[in-house]
Amino acid sequence: MIKNSNFKENYFMNIELKKIISSHVNLEIDEKEIINTSKLEDLNHAINPKIDLLINFEKLNNIRRINKFHNKANSILNLNGFYITVSETIEQRQSRKSYGAIWGFKNIFLFFDFLYKRAIPKIPLLKQIYFSITNGKNRVISKAEILGRLISCGFNIVEYWEFNNLLYVISKKTGNPSFDMKASYDPIFRMKRIGKNNKIIYVYKFRTMYPFSEYLQDFILKDHGYGENGKIKDDYRVTYWGHIFRKYWLDELPQLINVIKGEMSLVGVRPLSKVFLKEYPTDLLEIRKKYKPGCIPPYVALNMQSIDNSLESERIYLKQKKEKPILTDIKFFFMAIWNILTNKIKSA
């Protein structure tokens, strides 16, 4: 089913775009749907109950309920079927919107554009008014959210690229959607981490990443790897204000909630995800699970921020912690504060 004959003609006339897509996907297969719609009901009326390829050339920015659209796409695709989507990222929108803007007013214009199209739709009292006016059209979406939503809906990212100031994504159905309809947009959010005795805890932090970024961790880690500071290299999930919060360690402050709850200590090994813990040697895992994770990790006190040095800093800390638990935490606390205040160590 190809909606709109003019669209069909324009699509196949774009040789360059077709060449890029066909390098990853077989466009000649019979069981496919090519659409140009923001309406969920167009997927409900698909001719074939199961297909191997679905292409939608309508921007995701114009789809009001993106995850429901993705979930429906998942349901009509066969396992390992391909799903191709088109979006406009924040950066691409800024490039388009700033073109022709009055000199000296570009940043002011972009700020209010972001406020209206991005911030207001997330405010409960204003959300309904916003959607009644715009019907969810032309929303501002980050690249991290675009990719993260797809992964949350049961797709793996195969490839993505920029073409004509739009982001094209080829994804593959690898399972059912997670049906997580409660992705966090709030300033404070919870991260699933491993605590003492391998117990699952939820660590509080100020949000420094775009929504749905948590679904991207495996993908971006495989794609980018780690930097010298032990964090993911060139992590585009971090927002502009997130970089400021991280620079001054402000994003860590809500972890005091975990301290009050008894799940963490002021000083201790980092609370890590299962993905990150896979990088740890078995002997260190056995030792660190005996202790609560801490707000201030050993690498901050010892100024040992790279991945290898971070592991070694935990060994040093845990050895001293075993011998002198209270004195070790006091010593590491003041060493860390000194390093932060004198700018000897910087957050990612």
Side-chain angles (χ1 to χ4, degrees):
M1 173 182 68
I2 299 179
K3 301 282 186 180
N4 190 319
S5 59
N6 291 332
F7 162 72
K8 174 183 176 181
E9 181 181 352
N10 291 336
Y11 161 65
F12 284 110
M13 282 175 60
N14 198 321
I15 305 300
E16 184 179 354
L17 179 59
K18 183 178 180 181
K19 183 178 179 180
I20 296 172
I21 294 176
S22 60
S23 67
H24 298 281
V25 178
N26 179 14
L27 293 175
E28 305 304 319
I29 58 176
D30 294 328
E31 302 301 321
K32 66 175 180 284
E33 301 275 355
I34 301 176
I35 57 178
N36 185 28
T37 184
S38 62
K39 298 179 180 178
L40 183 62
E41 52 265 32
D42 285 339
L43 291 182
N44 292 328
H45 296 152
I47 295 175
N48 300 309
K50 287 290 184 179
I51 57 177
D52 293 313
L53 172 62
L54 174 63
I55 306 176
N56 185 17
F57 283 97
E58 177 61 70
K59 291 192 298 184
L60 291 179
N61 310 68
N62 293 328
I63 299 175
R64 179 165 180 174
R65 295 177 175 86
I66 298 174
N67 273 32
K68 287 188 176 181
F69 196 95
H70 287 340
N71 289 344
K72 183 60 182 178
N74 182 293
S75 71
I76 66 174
L77 279 166
N78 289 315
L79 189 64
N80 295 320
F82 290 97
Y83 180 37
I84 300 176
T85 57
V86 184
S87 313
E88 182 183 58
T89 67
I90 291 175
E91 293 76 17
Q92 292 165 342
R93 181 183 177 86
Q94 289 177 342
S95 174
R96 175 173 63 85
K97 286 287 186 178
S98 62
Y99 181 76
I102 301 175
W103 185 86
F105 288 89
K106 183 177 75 173
N107 290 337
I108 296 175
F109 174 78
L110 292 176
F111 169 77
F112 282 103
D113 179 66
F114 182 88
L115 183 67
Y116 175 54
K117 290 290 187 177
R118 179 66 180 180
I120 289 179
K122 308 305 177 187
I123 300 174
L125 295 178
L126 300 178
K127 182 177 181 179
Q128 298 303 323
I129 299 175
Y130 169 83
F131 279 109
S132 66
I133 295 173
T134 67
N135 199 28
K137 300 287 185 180
N138 203 24
R139 276 185 291 167
V140 178
I141 311 177
S142 67
K143 180 168 73 172
E145 181 175 346
I146 291 166
L147 300 178
R149 282 182 179 270
L150 282 166
I151 294 173
S152 78
C153 293
F155 296 96
N156 273 1
I157 308 301
V158 176
E159 186 62 87
Y160 64 87
W161 71 97
E162 186 174 322
F163 183 80
N164 285 345
N165 205 40
L166 292 172
L167 182 71
Y168 287 78
V169 182
I170 299 176
S171 58
K172 179 187 288 188
K173 175 181 175 178
T174 55
N176 295 321
S178 68
F179 294 106
D180 181 1
M181 305 304 290
K182 296 181 180 178
S184 174
Y185 292 94
D186 298 328
I188 296 178
F189 75 108
R190 303 189 308 164
M191 301 185 303
K192 189 177 181 179
R193 292 293 184 260
I194 307 300
K196 183 179 179 181
N197 296 323
N198 290 333
K199 179 183 176 182
I200 299 295
I201 63 174
Y202 291 88
V203 176
Y204 294 89
K205 291 189 72 173
F206 280 125
R207 173 169 291 284
T208 58
M209 291 185 175
Y210 293 109
F212 288 89
S213 289
E214 58 268 31
Y215 293 99
L216 274 177
Q217 184 163 342
D218 287 356
F219 172 76
I220 197 172
L221 180 57
K222 182 179 179 181
D223 204 34
H224 289 203
Y226 292 113
E228 293 182 357
N229 59 5
K231 302 286 186 178
I232 294 176
K233 184 167 53 178
D234 301 325
D235 195 344
Y236 52 77
R237 299 176 301 167
V238 182
T239 64
Y240 168 76
W241 58 89
H243 285 292
I244 297 174
F245 270 56
R246 290 185 173 200
K247 180 178 180 181
Y248 298 103
W249 305 83
L250 298 176
D251 57 311
E252 310 286 353
L253 288 177
Q255 290 182 19
L256 292 175
I257 298 173
N258 295 104
V259 175
I260 294 172
K261 293 173 67 176
E263 299 169 330
M264 293 177 62
S265 303
L266 279 178
V267 178
V269 295
R270 292 174 63 189
L272 300 175
S273 65
K274 287 184 178 180
V275 174
F276 211 128
L277 283 174
K278 292 177 182 178
E279 308 290 329
Y280 272 60
T282 304
D283 63 314
L284 184 53
L285 288 175
E286 287 299 313
I287 299 172
R288 78 191 312 274
K289 76 177 183 180
K290 298 176 182 178
Y291 300 92
K292 292 180 183 179
C295 301
I296 301 175
Y299 76 82
V300 178
L302 298 174
N303 197 9
M304 300 172 69
Q305 199 166 9
S306 69
I307 294 178
D308 291 338
N309 285 341
S310 178
L311 295 177
E312 183 59 28
S313 73
E314 288 195 1
R315 292 185 187 278
I316 295 171
Y317 166 77
L318 290 171
K319 181 179 179 181
Q320 295 184 28
K321 173 83 170 177
K322 183 179 179 180
E323 297 171 354
K324 300 177 180 179
I326 298 177
L327 288 178
T328 298
D329 281 357
I330 294 173
K331 180 178 75 171
F332 273 68
F333 175 82
F334 285 106
M335 289 171 63
I337 296 300
W338 175 254
N339 285 340
I340 293 172
L341 293 177
T342 57
N343 211 29
K344 289 184 177 180
I345 190 167
K346 298 180 179 179
S347 181

